[in-house]
């Protein structure tokens, strides 16, 4: 009887430990995500004066100069979300926990591009493009680039 | 050298097209950064060392593209595009390409 109990504990304890670690890191990850989202909201509203478009021109804007600007971000997800995503991928379906990962990376890359444009004194950024790729450990990198226009 | 990712440059007129120019670089990561990256993969958030690595690599690829354009006698590169690929060993290849042109100032009529 005790042997069975012992074996059961031996099997359960590693899973329980893994679950606790995942929960801990998941909590840390969620906190960092909230902070990052607040920072993004703040910076996006500070840069709202710069017009952006995926078209090559802004109607009604005559520019005297244009220069290439870019911003990039490499974003990793936390262990808790990663574990849930791995489990979910066993049965298939949308990995909703990972969606914020790329959204945050895109917003961060976009904000950095606007910050470079602001540094050049630009009033608009045209031809905005996004490129996504994978770097180590399946971690994505998002590049956002465009042409900053300085009004004449 | 003027760099844009549009077809035309505001305030400038294209007088000559020199063709495709390109620059690439393969950057391997540093072991120390990798350990940091593995940790970040657990707590989530931006892996700043990799962002910096890729930004530097992109700058280098662009510089190589600009050098090629200079060699052709161009003073601007238009329609710049990028691709990034992960290669074995966790390295990343950055490839920047565009069209080298010669431009002259042509102030736009308002």
């Amino acid at each position: 009887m005790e042997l069975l109990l012992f074996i059961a504990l031996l099997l359960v304890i590693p899973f329980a430990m893994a679950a606790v670690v995942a929960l801990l890191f998941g909590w840390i990850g969620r906190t960092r995500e909230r902070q990052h989202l607040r920072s993004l909201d703040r910076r996006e509203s500070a840069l709202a004066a710069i017009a952006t478009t995926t078209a090559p021109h802004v109607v009604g804007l005559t520019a005297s100069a244009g220069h290439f600007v870019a911003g990039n971000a490499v974003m990793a997800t936390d262990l808790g979300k990663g574990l849930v995503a791995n489990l979910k991928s066993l049965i298939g379906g949308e990995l909703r926990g990972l969606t914020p990962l790329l959204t945050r990376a895109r917003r961060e890359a976009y904000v950095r591009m606007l910050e470079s444009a602001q540094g050049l004194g630009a009033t608009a950024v045209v031809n905005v493009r996004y490129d996504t790729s994978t770097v180590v450990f399946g971690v994505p990198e998002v590049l956002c680039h465009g042409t900053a226009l300085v009004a004449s | 050298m003027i760099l844009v990712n549009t077809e035309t440059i505001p305030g400038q007129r294209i007088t000559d097209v020199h063709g495709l120019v390109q620059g690439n670089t393969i950057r391997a990561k540093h072991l120390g950064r990798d350990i940091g990256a593995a940790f970040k993969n657990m707590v989530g958030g931006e892996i700043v060392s990799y962002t910096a690595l890729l930004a530097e690599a992109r700058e280098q690829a662009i510089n190589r593209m600009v050098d090629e354009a200079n060699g052709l006698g161009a003073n601007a590169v238009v329609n710049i595009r990028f691709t990034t690929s992960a290669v074995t060993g966790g390295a990343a290849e950055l490839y920047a390409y565009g069209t080298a042109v010669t431009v002259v100032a042509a102030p736009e009529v308002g």
Side-chain angles (χ1 to χ4, degrees):
Chain A
M1 192 58 220
E2 284 95 3
L3 187 65
L4 280 173
L5 193 63
F6 178 68
I7 291 171
L9 270 176
L10 209 63
L11 291 172
V12 161
I13 282 176
F15 283 105
M17 276 169 31
V20 165
V21 166
L23 279 171
L24 173 69
F25 282 113
W27 177 79
I28 296 173
R30 265 202 309 280
T31 311
R32 288 165 60 84
E33 183 176 312
R34 269 201 302 273
Q35 287 169 349
H36 187 219
L37 288 172
R38 272 203 298 270
S39 156
L40 281 171
D41 285 335
R42 198 182 58 236
R43 284 147 73 207
E44 274 172 359
S45 52
L47 293 162
I50 302 179
T52 57
T53 174
T54 54
H57 309 284
V58 172
V59 175
L61 174 71
T62 315
S64 61
H67 205 277
F68 176 79
V69 285
N72 72 327
V74 176
M75 204 66 67
T77 189
D78 57 80
L79 199 64
K81 282 207 171 127
L83 201 67
V84 169
N86 276 325
L87 292 174
K88 183 79 189 288
S89 66
L90 293 174
I91 57 168
E94 190 187 350
L95 300 177
R96 281 201 307 271
L98 294 185
T99 306
L101 177 70
L102 281 161
T103 310
R104 282 166 62 197
R106 263 191 293 274
R107 287 175 70 186
E108 184 65 46
Y110 177 75
V111 161
R112 285 179 181 168
M113 180 191 68
L114 289 184
E115 282 166 356
S116 315
Q118 193 180 50
L120 295 171
T123 52
V125 180
V126 299
N127 232 24
V128 173
R129 299 283 183 265
Y130 288 96
D131 293 319
T132 312
S133 60
T134 313
V135 291
V136 69
F137 302 136
V139 166
E141 186 227 8
V142 176
L143 167 71
C144 184
H145 56 101
T147 301
L149 299 181
V150 178
S152 53
Chain B
M1 169 146 313
I2 304 174
L3 304 173
V4 291
N5 76 343
T6 44
E7 290 170 8
T8 55
I9 305 170
Q12 308 281 332
R13 195 180 73 244
I14 296 175
T15 57
D16 217 355
V17 176
H18 302 283
L20 183 78
V21 287
Q22 62 201 358
N24 75 331
T25 177
I26 300 185
R27 277 292 177 99
K29 55 188 174 24
H30 185 263
L31 181 66
R33 281 182 183 167
D34 224 17
I35 294 168
F39 179 69
K40 272 287 173 65
N41 221 358
M42 294 196 288
V43 297
E46 192 189 352
I47 305 180
V48 176
S49 58
Y50 271 100
T51 306
L53 171 75
L54 287 162
E56 265 176 56
R58 199 159 287 115
E59 281 302 309
Q60 196 175 26
I62 291 176
N63 287 337
R64 288 179 181 170
M65 182 183 69
V66 164
D67 288 341
E68 194 175 318
N70 272 321
L72 292 172
N75 64 357
V77 182
V78 297
N79 250 351
I80 297 177
R81 303 200 165 104
F82 293 93
T83 65
T84 311
S85 326
V87 294
T88 56
E93 192 235 10
L94 271 296
Y95 180 67
Y97 58 107
T99 307
V101 296
T102 302
V103 294
V104 294
E108 283 166 28
V109 180

